[in-house]
Amino acid sequence: MALSGMTGFARVSGTYAGHSWQWEVRSVNGRTLDLRVKLPSEVSAIEPTVKKAFSDIFTRGNMQISLSLNADDKGGTVAINEALFDTLARFVEAKGGNSNLAVLMTIDGVVTQGRGSTDEVAQEGLEAALIQGATEVATTLKQARDDEGAALLPLFETAVSALEKLTIEAAEAAATQPKSVADRLSDQVKDLAVDIDPDRLAAEIALLATKADVREELDRLTAHSEQARALLSQGSPIGRKLEFLSQEFNRETNTLCAKSSDITLTRIGLSMKSVIEQFREQAANVE
């Protein structure tokens, strides 16, 4: 499966029995799948089916889905909701404003345009055509999000490669830490100009070297890199798993920096944190 992003736009239009329609959908990042559908009142019954068409394809993202539907003027009717108009006018006046007829007539629900008499069979055919259009626009959006995912994949691969390289460098730097700890403690003892039992000094050196040992953190960083490559090869939906993995990368790197007693190892750790932040930012864009 391909890696899929969460941003995209799609539009599909068509006609059916004297009606023209156009679906539009806009998708942005989201922690869950949030579908907001705007339909003309005369076809509002298809909303659950439309939502299912999208939820069958997507697992994450905030989507604004809208349908515009136009009918031939033949047999069409225009109705004005006078009760709603009067309510709005009174509300405006109560707030000290002046009712503007032209503005009030543009509010949803004040003016509705019918399609004339439509039998049940024709209505079912229209709704079926619109549902098919919704499926098409969902598929078109999926392609747009897949294109984004294809652009993101090399960024993840570059980040994982950088982390693997830095982990190797960190292991090389960490290998010198025991000697550095021993030399530093020995020099401090000499500066104090006091006699310390060699066995006691050796025990202290061993204790400090143990506290500075980062092999466990390096092993986990290597395992996390392997897991990242495995996830990327699976394809979406893996966005949440990548976000969690970025937290684990960061946790191990923080511990590595805290244990570091060598400037070189500390610099490598800071470089890791920079790469991990880039990884985390991109993970937030993945379905």
Side-chain angles (χ1 to χ4, degrees):
M1 294 179 65
L3 198 65
S4 180
M6 281 192 286
T7 61
F9 171 81
R11 177 187 291 133
V12 170
S13 58
T15 59
Y16 178 84
H19 299 80
S20 60
W21 50 263
Q22 180 172 273
W23 285 103
E24 284 190 356
V25 55
R26 291 173 171 80
S27 173
V28 296
N29 294 357
R31 295 199 62 79
T32 60
L33 181 61
D34 183 11
L35 302 175
R36 300 187 181 185
V37 183
K38 184 177 180 181
L39 301 174
S41 58
E42 58 266 35
V43 291
S44 60
I46 69 172
E47 181 173 339
T49 307
V50 171
K51 286 186 173 181
K52 185 177 186 306
F54 280 82
S55 61
D56 284 346
I57 297 176
F58 304 104
T59 59
R60 294 180 71 189
N62 294 328
M63 299 185 189
Q64 301 286 341
I65 306 163
S66 62
L67 170 67
S68 60
L69 178 63
N70 298 301
D72 293 339
D73 292 336
K74 300 177 182 179
T77 60
V78 174
I80 298 176
N81 188 333
E82 295 186 22
L84 177 59
F85 179 90
D86 292 341
T87 299
L88 293 171
R90 287 195 297 271
F91 177 79
V92 172
E93 291 170 359
K95 295 299 182 180
N98 296 319
S99 299
N100 186 311
L101 175 63
V103 173
L104 291 179
M105 295 291 280
T106 62
I107 296 176
D108 286 346
V110 174
V111 179
T112 57
Q113 183 174 2
R115 301 191 305 273
S117 59
T118 304
D119 60 37
E120 184 176 345
V121 174
Q123 178 71 14
E124 290 178 355
L126 174 61
E127 291 180 355
L130 293 176
I131 291 170
Q132 177 61 36
T135 302
E136 291 177 8
V137 80
T139 302
T140 303
L141 177 64
K142 180 65 167 63
Q143 183 58 58
R145 294 186 13 154
D146 285 350
D147 290 343
E148 181 191 23
L152 291 173
L153 182 58
L155 301 180
F156 282 111
E157 291 175 338
T158 298
V160 174
S161 295
L163 287 172
E164 289 171 335
K165 181 174 181 294
L166 288 168
T167 301
I168 293 172
E169 293 178 3
E172 294 172 351
T176 66
Q177 281 209 126
K179 184 176 185 305
S180 298
V181 169
D183 291 344
R184 184 169 61 254
L185 186 57
S186 297
D187 291 341
Q188 291 172 345
V189 169
K190 290 179 181 178
D191 291 340
L192 292 174
V194 294
D195 293 330
I196 295 182
D197 180 67
D199 292 337
R200 176 65 185 276
L201 179 60
E204 289 295 327
I205 291 174
L207 178 61
L208 291 175
T210 300
K211 290 182 177 181
D213 187 2
V214 295
R215 285 176 296 180
E216 187 175 343
E217 286 73 25
L218 293 173
D219 288 343
R220 283 199 286 262
L221 284 169
T222 298
H224 292 338
S225 295
E226 292 172 355
Q227 184 180 2
R229 290 197 179 279
L231 286 173
L232 293 172
S233 68
Q234 291 176 16
S236 292
I238 58 169
R240 287 188 174 183
K241 292 180 180 179
L242 290 176
E243 289 183 70
F244 175 76
L245 195 57
S246 69
Q247 296 174 10
E248 294 303 302
F249 270 126
N250 202 50
R251 189 195 317 277
E252 300 304 331
T253 304
N254 284 338
T255 305
L256 183 146
C257 289
K259 288 185 173 183
S260 173
S261 59
D262 178 77
I263 188 63
T264 300
L265 183 59
T266 300
R267 286 173 178 170
I268 293 171
L270 294 176
S271 296
M272 283 183 171
K273 289 177 68 68
S274 177
V275 176
I276 293 166
E277 178 60 20
Q278 296 171 19
F279 185 98
R280 185 196 64 78
E281 289 177 353
Q282 296 303 334
N285 298 320
V286 176
E287 182 179 12

